[in-house]
Amino acid sequence: MDATAAALLLDHYDSARRDLPWRSDSPDPYRVWLSEVMLQQTTVATVTPRFLRFVERWPTVEALAAASDEEILGEWAGLGYYARARNLIACARKVAADGGFPVTEAGLRALPGLGAYTAAAVAAIAFGQPAVPIDTNVERVIARFYGLTERSAVPAAARAFFPGARNGDVAQALMDLGATLCRPRAPACPACPLWKHCQAAASGTPEAFPAPKVRKARPHRFGIAWWVRKDDHVWLVRRAQQGLLGGMAALPGPEWQDERPSANAIAIHRHGFTHFTLDLLVVPAAEPPDGEGWWQPLQGIADAGLPTLYARAIKAALTAEREPRLAA
DNA sequence: TAGACGTGGGT
DNA sequence: TACCCAAGTCT
């Protein structure tokens, strides 16, 4: 039905597409998969340098599969949503053991960390399959193009929009459009190749499509991180594999709680997570707590593979030690 | 199925 | 400061 719109979109894409390091006329499935997993809920600007470091260190899925958990989690540190890294490891090892990536959408969907979107994206982009990847950009552009307020109506509309041939390019073109012109707020309609065919633009209030999602308020929580120094080292532990920051290096400490604890902190780091904010109190202790851990040299601690929460808390503690008057 | 799950940049 | 948003997945 919308061969015209898809053709206009592809013409625009062929002349104006962004040059991103995982894009190629002959895509490497490993690079497509790695980039798609990194891009889940993460911006192109954040992913680009991290992607380049990953593929330089591990140029193939076999090389990645042969790396240790600690190496990969350390390279992922700071990217967030660490379940992605744990699934990345499991997926790489399965693909390497199987001798390559599955070619079909269903086969890809069965791999760890590949949901409906990523399986369709890899199938379409890397293998030229007629899959229809629907991410937040595609959802927004399609909803606006057809004047849909209900997000539940988008998948059927998207299947009508996608031509079947060049679905990977159509998807990337829609994502580029969503990121640069058809933005959530203040869309740049006059510059859009679909402007004259777009229902939302014709309505005069394109931002009203699709209807906004309802959001809940974030609670506030508190935590204690023990600050145990010896010479120029600090005691670190590895967090449990499941749950928040699962498998990542961390300062030791008890479970976080809803009430503010009374403790003699040398620094307090406030950190925002998706579903709550945290005040992490950094509290000096003389000896490491019971359990596994190691002495991490403070030299180059910023590159030690810590998630941002702990990298920032340690930085605040070191600053407080240097300038006690500034401590919270 | 709704909540858990990170972080950085824009406004 | 605070909220929005980002190439989602898993349970």
Side-chain angles (χ1 to χ4, degrees):
Chain A
M1 162 181 178
D2 288 299
T4 304
L8 287 171
L9 181 69
L10 283 172
D11 283 348
H12 180 261
Y13 181 66
D14 287 334
S15 62
R17 76 167 131 175
R18 294 188 289 175
D19 184 23
L20 305 177
W22 46 86
R23 285 187 176 165
S24 163
D25 290 333
S26 54
D28 173 359
Y30 168 62
R31 293 168 66 99
V32 173
W33 161 72
L34 178 61
S35 65
E36 288 296 342
V37 173
M38 284 187 164
L39 286 162
Q40 290 167 4
Q41 297 289 282
T42 309
T43 59
V44 165
T46 296
V47 165
T48 296
R50 308 302 296 266
F51 172 84
L52 292 171
R53 285 176 51 173
F54 256 79
V55 296
E56 177 169 290
R57 186 167 178 179
W58 300 298
T60 65
V61 70
E62 290 79 14
L64 185 62
S68 72
D69 290 15
E70 291 73 20
E71 288 176 306
I72 297 172
L73 291 173
E75 196 67 57
W76 194 277
L79 265 179
Y81 284 142
Y82 297 99
R84 293 184 296 169
R86 302 194 296 272
N87 285 327
L88 190 83
I89 294 167
C91 183
R93 291 177 185 160
K94 172 154 180 54
V95 168
D98 292 349
F101 283 89
V103 175
T104 65
E105 184 177 1
L108 291 159
R109 179 67 181 81
L111 293 171
L114 280 82
Y117 164 74
T118 304
V122 175
I125 296 169
F127 297 117
Q129 302 283 333
V132 180
I134 303 174
D135 76 324
T136 184
N137 290 297
V138 174
E139 179 185 60
R140 184 174 60 257
V141 176
I142 293 296
R144 286 179 177 169
F145 182 79
Y146 291 105
L148 307 173
T149 53
E150 295 300 322
R151 294 169 193 270
S152 59
V154 166
R159 286 192 290 274
F161 185 93
F162 276 70
R166 290 191 69 183
N167 272 19
D169 285 343
V170 171
Q172 293 178 92
L174 289 169
M175 291 188 272
D176 278 8
L177 206 59
T180 59
L181 301 178
C182 195
R183 301 171 296 234
R185 286 173 292 186
C189 294
C192 176
L194 305 183
W195 185 28
K196 292 188 169 55
H197 306 263
C198 178
Q199 298 288 322
S203 79
T205 55
E207 290 187 46
F209 303 87
K213 297 171 183 163
V214 293
R215 293 178 190 281
K216 295 185 60 177
R218 289 190 305 178
H220 194 79
R221 307 193 69 195
F222 300 88
I224 289 174
W226 303 119
W227 181 243
V228 193
R229 291 282 308 272
K230 189 168 95 175
D231 302 325
D232 287 320
H233 294 67
V234 62
W235 184 258
L236 295 184
V237 300
R238 192 162 292 281
R239 291 175 62 87
Q241 284 296 314
Q242 304 302 321
L244 193 76
L245 308 176
M248 300 301 293
L251 292 169
E255 294 285 308
W256 301 341
Q257 56 188 61
D258 296 331
E259 315 295 327
R260 178 172 183 141
S262 58
N264 201 358
I266 60 169
I268 301 175
H269 173 63
R270 178 161 294 180
H271 197 79
F273 292 98
T274 305
H275 50 303
F276 66 96
T277 57
L278 177 75
D279 276 0
L280 188 63
L281 284 66
V282 185
V283 180
E287 298 293 331
D290 291 339
E292 299 285 306
W294 69 93
W295 292 107
Q296 178 75 36
L298 281 166
Q299 187 75 10
I301 189 75
D303 303 313
L306 285 158
T308 299
L309 167 68
Y310 291 108
R312 297 267 168 83
I314 288 171
K315 186 177 178 184
L318 291 171
T319 301
E321 284 188 335
R322 222 178 305 117
E323 307 181 46
R325 293 174 50 193
L326 300 181

